[in-house]
Amino acid sequence: MTTATPFPRLLSPLRIGGVTLPNRIVSSGHDTVLAEDGAVTEDLIAYHEARAAGGVGLIVLQVSGVHESARYTTHVLMATDDSCVPGYARLARAVHRHGTKVFGQLFHPGREILESADGTAPVAWAPSAVPSERFHVMPRAMTEQEIHEVVDGYGRAARRLRDAGLDGVEVVASHGYLPAQFLSPHVNVRTDGWGGDPERRLRFLREALRSAREQAGPGFAVGLRVSGDELSHDGLDTTLVLETVARLDGEGLLDYVSVCAGSSSSLSGAQHIAPPMARPAGYTAPLAARVRAVVGVPVMVAGRVNQPQEAEQIIAGGQADACAMTRALICDPELPAKTADGRAEEIRACVGCNQACIGHFQLGHPISCIQHPETGRERRFALLPPVTRRRKVLVVGGGPAGLKAAAVAAGRGHAVELHEAGRRVGGQVLLAERLPGRAEFGGVITNLEGEARRAGVRVLTGSRIDAAALAAASPDAVVLATGALPRRPPLELVDEPVVLDAWAVIRGAEVPRGRVVVADWRGDWIGLGVALLLAGRGRKVTLCVTGFAAGEHLQQYVRAGMLADAVRARIEVVPNVRLYGADPDTVYLQHTLTEEAVLLEDVAAVVLAQGHTPVTDLTPAGLDLPALGLSAERVLTVGDCVSPRTVEEAVLEGLTAAASL
């Protein structure tokens, strides 16, 4: 007897044109920085095959440029000549052998150019010479001949992807890219046959879709990706988008519509490209519902859909026919299989931190995930072999590094004990989750602890390990993950001013009323987060940062959202200053560029966000390894006790250490 699934709609097939998806979970197009010289690589194939093996119904590949002028980064895929076909074909075969369908994205960025091959500023093409606010690009208006070349490029690229064995293509008109620029009356100010009224502004997108459909031939799915609202000062609004998709669907040009939100052209709009954790789950679904009401083809939706129950609810409610769960699949490639097998509680939930997925892309690094560093490194870590000799492994410290090391080591077959001195595992994540808008970050520990316990790790809290306890335990290998503590730099303090660590404030320490200065050395989530926390408690806050801007080291969408909150909270930001000292009502700073004194008066308290100092009570150098029966190779240090950094480095080092045991 078959047990009914709690996700009957999500796991049901979906017909798109001539293609049937095995389920309605989609990995939507996203850059991976795994392409080289515009071509598919073995790393890119391994990345997508891991998600296909995990049971995803449809993979939409990252954008493929349709014309040489579409090279918006140095790591974009290109479909501009027939040499691309073999690489796409290898990728399609790898995905198809798991039953997953695969579409390509046909792309031209228009004025949204990020970089060039040699560092010089490229000439960006656009409908008109209207600049991009976010990238500060002044484009050149396309000639009639160039427009026809690009339109033809959509068709030629579609034919090549069909020749490679893909199942369909998606014309990218979302996020303010070239087709959307032609649609926009703010960006397209042409007065020829490609602009001047709504009908002529629609012409470029209509002809691009027609070109793709005609050159690819029948039976090949052709869809459209569009922002339901670009949420930007010069972007497309929902009314115009609905009119556009209704027209195109009525003309038989669409097999499906993929709906997202936002625009690449502005800082406020760009946040919706990969919305951070402060955005609610599935918040774009109402936009998809409005699109679905005016078209007769299936509608997909993207935007913070992280869990199968969220996707099921969206589909059951008639808001969309399929859900893009892209970052959720970056975090857990096995999400579809776990959903189908009744193991939804084991899903490693994405927390929307953006650090190693979109954050890596924006830094030019291959895609990964802070919780699952195997992502993007599939050829190195995806299939770790079981151990041939079972060892007793002792892990000291229950933060992200220790938990990951323990989970992976136990999963490979070792007998693992994890000792955490505190009452709970979690390390600094237990602090991060208490800051405004970051509660979801605590899921990192929920996920890692669950993985460790399911792998058979014996987790002991309130258990402090010293050299004597280590000797008594007699392990075969030790992983030291003892973390870090708040750093207090030398300061000139006169007459006992109120000086608190950020950790104490987050834990609820009393902060005097009046002006509070947060002295932020790192420029990450701690200083900005504590400033927002204090502002929420009714304090007047001045955030002093050593860099050029608050949150300088945060992923830009996360930073933009937090800075917007800081503006609303009336937090004053003083850039380029270092903390020097304080007295009971004055904070003394130094300008980092001029070395001149900067004084802030009428200050009630100073809060230090000055980085961290490693906890090195136990180090390989300080242990009598021969007496413990251990070699140096069997005592590994990971995470902040090596050098204080972020969860990403801690989890990766935990994985690397466990892989070496």
Side-chain angles (χ1 to χ4, degrees):
M1 181 171 143
T2 304
T3 303
T5 173
F7 308 104
R9 295 167 183 84
L10 183 63
L11 298 177
S12 65
L14 176 65
R15 185 78 172 174
I16 294 179
V19 179
T20 299
L21 310 185
N23 61 57
R24 300 175 184 227
I25 302 172
V26 178
S27 174
S28 59
H30 57 286
D31 207 317
T32 61
V33 197
L34 294 173
E36 287 183 8
D37 298 323
V40 171
T41 64
E42 295 306 310
D43 284 339
L44 182 61
I45 293 171
Y47 170 79
H48 284 300
E49 185 170 11
R51 277 127 199 96
V56 67
L58 171 66
I59 289 173
V60 183
L61 303 180
Q62 66 195 72
V63 296
S64 296
V66 300
H67 188 271
E68 277 304 309
S69 58
R71 289 185 184 268
Y72 81 125
T73 72
T74 56
H75 40 77
V76 65
L77 283 174
M78 297 297 289
T80 49
D81 63 68
D82 292 349
S83 66
C84 73
V85 173
Y88 281 110
R90 293 196 309 276
L91 195 158
R93 287 193 296 270
V95 169
H96 283 158
R97 61 174 159 254
H98 300 283
T100 297
K101 303 301 182 182
V102 57
F103 292 175
Q105 281 192 323
L106 305 182
F107 178 75
H108 197 296
R111 64 181 184 168
E112 299 298 299
I113 296 288
L114 277 68
E115 59 178 316
S116 68
D118 64 359
T120 61
V123 175
W125 292 8
S128 307
V130 177
S132 166
E133 177 182 274
R134 181 173 168 220
F135 297 117
H136 306 283
V137 170
M138 175 58 78
R140 176 175 64 73
M142 296 170 70
T143 66
E144 179 92 11
Q145 179 180 343
E146 289 166 347
I147 293 173
H148 285 294
E149 284 180 14
V150 173
V151 166
D152 185 53
Y154 281 93
R156 290 175 180 269
R159 175 186 57 76
R160 292 182 182 108
L161 297 186
R162 175 163 191 158
D163 289 347
L166 272 67
D167 303 292
V169 290
E170 178 177 284
V171 172
V172 180
S174 61
H175 299 128
Y177 298 123
L178 185 62
Q181 292 163 31
F182 269 96
L183 286 170
S184 171
H186 304 289
V187 182
N188 181 356
V189 295
R190 302 175 75 101
T191 56
D192 61 3
W194 303 91
D197 60 39
E199 179 66 20
R200 286 180 288 177
R201 287 193 293 268
L202 178 61
R203 180 182 171 189
F204 179 88
L205 178 54
R206 176 190 284 123
E207 294 200 10
L209 285 162
R210 186 174 290 138
S211 177
R213 187 172 290 281
E214 289 176 353
Q215 295 196 49
F220 192 63
V222 176
L224 175 70
R225 190 170 212 214
V226 65
S227 295
D229 192 318
E230 290 190 349
L231 301 171
S232 187
H233 69 286
D234 63 352
L236 306 181
D237 62 21
T238 303
T239 300
L240 179 53
V241 171
L242 294 176
E243 292 170 355
T244 298
V245 295
R247 286 283 302 277
L248 296 171
D249 181 49
E251 294 169 17
L253 291 173
L254 304 178
D255 289 318
Y256 73 95
V257 182
S258 178
V259 179
C260 51
S263 170
S264 180
S265 69
S266 69
L267 290 173
S268 58
Q271 295 176 55
H272 302 280
I273 295 174
M277 69 180 73
R279 298 284 174 183
Y283 78 105
T284 55
L287 291 174
R290 295 188 67 182
V291 170
R292 192 169 185 263
V294 300
V295 299
V297 293
V299 171
M300 304 173 188
V301 66
R304 290 277 286 146
V305 185
N306 289 335
Q307 295 277 18
Q309 58 268 26
E310 297 162 2
E312 178 73 17
Q313 184 177 11
I314 288 169
I315 296 170
Q319 294 178 296
D321 300 286
C323 289
M325 304 180 71
T326 308
R327 282 180 292 172
L329 290 159
I330 294 169
C331 187
D332 193 340
E334 297 180 36
L335 179 151
K338 291 177 179 178
T339 302
D341 293 345
R343 297 183 293 126
E345 72 282 355
E346 296 181 16
I347 290 171
R348 185 185 306 105
C350 167
V351 297
C353 71
N354 280 358
Q355 182 174 336
C357 48
I358 186 73
H360 270 208
F361 158 63
Q362 290 168 340
L363 294 172
H365 304 311
I367 194 168
S368 194
C369 175
I370 68 166
Q371 299 189 69
H372 190 62
E374 293 92 335
T375 286
R377 301 179 177 93
E378 284 80 8
R379 297 172 74 199
R380 179 181 174 190
F381 288 122
L383 295 173
L384 290 176
V387 298
T388 56
R389 177 188 164 197
R390 181 178 170 88
R391 293 187 172 95
K392 180 179 179 182
V393 178
L394 192 147
V395 178
V396 185
L403 286 168
K404 182 66 174 182
V408 174
R412 295 186 62 213
H414 291 305
V416 183
E417 281 189 358
L418 183 146
H419 295 259
E420 164 57 42
R423 292 186 301 109
R424 296 173 57 196
V425 296
Q428 292 180 53
V429 173
L430 301 180
L431 298 169
E433 68 178 356
R434 297 171 71 172
L435 290 173
R438 292 189 67 85
E440 201 169 334
F441 199 69
V444 171
I445 295 306
T446 302
N447 295 334
L448 287 169
E449 182 180 6
E451 290 168 30
R453 291 187 184 277
R454 286 192 296 273
V457 176
R458 186 182 180 210
V459 178
L460 301 169
T461 55
S463 177
R464 186 174 297 277
I465 294 292
D466 55 19
L470 199 59
S474 189
D476 299 311
V478 178
V479 178
L480 300 174
T482 49
L485 293 171
R487 170 178 168 265
R488 278 218 173 197
L491 299 172
E492 292 191 11
L493 303 177
V494 179
D495 295 336
E496 299 184 353
V498 176
V499 179
L500 301 166
D501 294 318
W503 287 25
V505 173
I506 295 170
R507 287 170 172 155
E510 182 59 35
V511 179
R513 294 206 165 268
R515 184 185 194 184
V516 179
V517 168
V518 177
D520 181 7
W521 164 78
R522 171 66 178 161
D524 60 6
W525 56 268
I526 301 175
L528 191 50
V530 169
L532 288 166
L533 181 70
L534 288 167
R537 293 179 183 173
R539 304 301 190 269
K540 180 180 179 181
V541 181
T542 299
L543 176 61
C544 297
V545 300
T546 58
F548 288 100
E552 196 167 339
H553 291 279
L554 291 171
Q555 188 273 330
Q556 59 181 257
Y557 303 157
V558 176
R559 177 175 65 241
M562 293 183 76
L563 286 177
D565 289 341
V567 171
R568 297 185 189 101
R570 302 185 183 279
I571 294 171
E572 178 188 12
V573 178
V574 181
N576 299 317
V577 289
R578 68 175 67 93
L579 183 62
Y580 184 78
D583 63 31
D585 65 3
T586 304
V587 172
Y588 300 91
L589 305 134
Q590 229 177 2
H591 200 280
T592 59
L593 301 178
T594 67
E595 305 296 330
E596 295 175 352
V598 178
L599 273 64
L600 299 179
E601 298 179 325
D602 298 321
V603 175
V606 180
V607 176
L608 303 179
Q610 294 289 301
H612 301 94
T613 300
V615 173
T616 56
D617 297 347
L618 292 174
T619 64
L623 295 172
D624 186 349
L625 297 181
L628 294 171
L630 293 168
S631 64
E633 293 76 20
R634 295 298 176 197
V635 181
L636 307 173
T637 54
V638 296
D640 279 4
C641 68
V642 178
S643 175
R645 289 152 295 159
T646 73
V647 170
E648 179 183 0
E649 292 81 18
V651 176
L652 174 59
E653 288 176 3
L655 167 64
T656 303
S660 72
L661 292 173

Short mmCIF file of all heavy atoms in Angstrom, two decimals, residues 489-511:
data_model
loop_
_atom_site.label_atom_id
_atom_site.label_comp_id
_atom_site.label_asym_id
_atom_site.label_seq_id
_atom_site.Cartn_x
_atom_site.Cartn_y
_atom_site.Cartn_z
N PRO A 489 41.03 45.86 21.67
CA PRO A 489 42.31 46.50 21.35
C PRO A 489 42.75 47.41 22.50
O PRO A 489 41.93 47.81 23.34
CB PRO A 489 41.99 47.31 20.10
CG PRO A 489 40.54 47.63 20.23
CD PRO A 489 39.92 46.44 20.91
N PRO A 490 44.02 47.75 22.57
CA PRO A 490 44.47 48.71 23.59
C PRO A 490 43.83 50.07 23.36
O PRO A 490 43.92 50.62 22.26
CB PRO A 490 45.99 48.74 23.41
CG PRO A 490 46.23 48.25 22.02
CD PRO A 490 45.14 47.28 21.73
N LEU A 491 43.19 50.61 24.38
CA LEU A 491 42.51 51.91 24.27
C LEU A 491 42.90 52.79 25.44
O LEU A 491 43.21 52.29 26.53
CB LEU A 491 40.98 51.71 24.28
CG LEU A 491 40.37 50.86 23.15
CD1 LEU A 491 38.90 50.60 23.44
CD2 LEU A 491 40.55 51.55 21.81
N GLU A 492 42.86 54.08 25.25
CA GLU A 492 43.08 55.04 26.33
C GLU A 492 41.72 55.36 26.95
O GLU A 492 40.92 56.08 26.36
CB GLU A 492 43.76 56.30 25.81
CG GLU A 492 45.19 56.06 25.34
CD GLU A 492 45.94 57.36 25.07
OE1 GLU A 492 45.41 58.45 25.45
OE2 GLU A 492 47.02 57.30 24.49
N LEU A 493 41.47 54.80 28.13
CA LEU A 493 40.20 54.99 28.81
C LEU A 493 40.42 55.80 30.07
O LEU A 493 41.27 55.46 30.90
CB LEU A 493 39.58 53.64 29.15
CG LEU A 493 39.34 52.69 27.96
CD1 LEU A 493 38.79 51.35 28.45
CD2 LEU A 493 38.39 53.32 26.95
N VAL A 494 39.64 56.88 30.22
CA VAL A 494 39.80 57.80 31.34
C VAL A 494 38.52 57.82 32.16
O VAL A 494 37.41 57.95 31.61
CB VAL A 494 40.12 59.22 30.82
CG1 VAL A 494 40.26 60.19 32.01
CG2 VAL A 494 41.37 59.22 29.96
N ASP A 495 38.62 57.64 33.48
CA ASP A 495 37.49 57.77 34.41
C ASP A 495 36.36 56.78 34.12
O ASP A 495 35.18 57.10 34.27
CB ASP A 495 36.93 59.20 34.39
CG ASP A 495 37.95 60.21 34.92
OD1 ASP A 495 38.84 59.80 35.68
OD2 ASP A 495 37.85 61.39 34.54
N GLU A 496 36.71 55.59 33.70
CA GLU A 496 35.79 54.46 33.60
C GLU A 496 34.54 54.73 32.75
O GLU A 496 33.41 54.69 33.23
CB GLU A 496 35.37 54.00 35.00
CG GLU A 496 36.55 53.53 35.84
CD GLU A 496 36.10 52.98 37.19
OE1 GLU A 496 34.90 53.10 37.51
OE2 GLU A 496 36.95 52.43 37.91
N PRO A 497 34.72 55.00 31.48
CA PRO A 497 33.56 55.11 30.59
C PRO A 497 32.89 53.74 30.45
O PRO A 497 33.48 52.70 30.72
CB PRO A 497 34.18 55.56 29.27
CG PRO A 497 35.58 55.03 29.31
CD PRO A 497 36.00 55.13 30.75
N VAL A 498 31.63 53.75 30.00
CA VAL A 498 30.92 52.49 29.76
C VAL A 498 31.37 51.94 28.41
O VAL A 498 31.11 52.53 27.36
CB VAL A 498 29.39 52.71 29.76
CG1 VAL A 498 28.68 51.41 29.42
CG2 VAL A 498 28.94 53.25 31.11
N VAL A 499 32.08 50.80 28.45
CA VAL A 499 32.57 50.15 27.24
C VAL A 499 32.11 48.71 27.27
O VAL A 499 32.44 47.96 28.20
CB VAL A 499 34.11 50.23 27.14
CG1 VAL A 499 34.59 49.52 25.86
CG2 VAL A 499 34.59 51.67 27.16
N LEU A 500 31.36 48.31 26.28
CA LEU A 500 30.78 46.98 26.22
C LEU A 500 31.20 46.27 24.94
O LEU A 500 31.39 46.90 23.90
CB LEU A 500 29.25 47.05 26.26
CG LEU A 500 28.62 47.71 27.49
CD1 LEU A 500 27.15 48.01 27.22
CD2 LEU A 500 28.76 46.80 28.70
N ASP A 501 31.33 44.96 25.00
CA ASP A 501 31.53 44.17 23.79
C ASP A 501 30.20 43.96 23.08
O ASP A 501 29.14 43.88 23.72
CB ASP A 501 32.13 42.80 24.13
CG ASP A 501 33.53 42.91 24.70
OD1 ASP A 501 34.31 43.70 24.17
OD2 ASP A 501 33.83 42.18 25.68
N ALA A 502 30.26 43.82 21.76
CA ALA A 502 29.05 43.55 20.99
C ALA A 502 28.35 42.29 21.49
O ALA A 502 27.12 42.25 21.55
CB ALA A 502 29.40 43.42 19.51
N TRP A 503 29.13 41.26 21.85
CA TRP A 503 28.53 40.02 22.32
C TRP A 503 27.65 40.27 23.55
O TRP A 503 26.55 39.72 23.65
CB TRP A 503 29.62 39.01 22.69
CG TRP A 503 30.35 38.41 21.54
CD1 TRP A 503 30.51 38.93 20.30
CD2 TRP A 503 31.03 37.15 21.55
NE1 TRP A 503 31.26 38.08 19.52
CE2 TRP A 503 31.58 36.98 20.26
CE3 TRP A 503 31.22 36.16 22.50
CZ2 TRP A 503 32.33 35.85 19.91
CZ3 TRP A 503 31.96 35.04 22.15
CH2 TRP A 503 32.51 34.88 20.87
N ALA A 504 28.13 41.10 24.47
CA ALA A 504 27.36 41.38 25.69
C ALA A 504 26.06 42.11 25.36
O ALA A 504 25.00 41.82 25.94
CB ALA A 504 28.20 42.21 26.65
N VAL A 505 26.13 43.03 24.43
CA VAL A 505 24.93 43.78 24.05
C VAL A 505 23.91 42.84 23.41
O VAL A 505 22.71 42.89 23.71
CB VAL A 505 25.30 44.92 23.08
CG1 VAL A 505 24.04 45.60 22.54
CG2 VAL A 505 26.19 45.94 23.79
N ILE A 506 24.38 41.97 22.54
CA ILE A 506 23.46 41.02 21.88
C ILE A 506 22.80 40.12 22.93
O ILE A 506 21.62 39.76 22.81
CB ILE A 506 24.21 40.18 20.83
CG1 ILE A 506 24.72 41.08 19.70
CG2 ILE A 506 23.31 39.09 20.26
CD1 ILE A 506 25.67 40.39 18.74
N ARG A 507 23.57 39.75 23.95
CA ARG A 507 23.02 38.87 25.00
C ARG A 507 22.13 39.61 25.99
O ARG A 507 21.59 39.00 26.91
CB ARG A 507 24.17 38.20 25.74
CG ARG A 507 24.86 37.11 24.93
CD ARG A 507 26.13 36.64 25.58
NE ARG A 507 26.68 35.46 24.90
CZ ARG A 507 27.96 35.12 24.92
NH1 ARG A 507 28.84 35.87 25.60
NH2 ARG A 507 28.38 34.04 24.28
N GLY A 508 21.95 40.92 25.80
CA GLY A 508 20.99 41.65 26.62
C GLY A 508 21.56 42.54 27.68
O GLY A 508 20.82 43.02 28.56
N ALA A 509 22.87 42.82 27.67
CA ALA A 509 23.48 43.71 28.66
C ALA A 509 22.80 45.08 28.64
O ALA A 509 22.41 45.58 27.59
CB ALA A 509 24.97 43.86 28.39
N GLU A 510 22.67 45.68 29.79
CA GLU A 510 22.05 46.99 29.90
C GLU A 510 22.95 48.04 29.27
O GLU A 510 24.15 48.12 29.56
CB GLU A 510 21.78 47.34 31.37
CG GLU A 510 21.09 48.67 31.58
CD GLU A 510 19.74 48.77 30.88
OE1 GLU A 510 19.02 47.75 30.82
OE2 GLU A 510 19.41 49.87 30.40
N VAL A 511 22.38 48.86 28.44
CA VAL A 511 23.11 49.95 27.77
C VAL A 511 22.49 51.26 28.21
O VAL A 511 21.27 51.44 28.11
CB VAL A 511 23.03 49.80 26.23
CG1 VAL A 511 23.79 50.94 25.55
CG2 VAL A 511 23.59 48.45 25.79
#
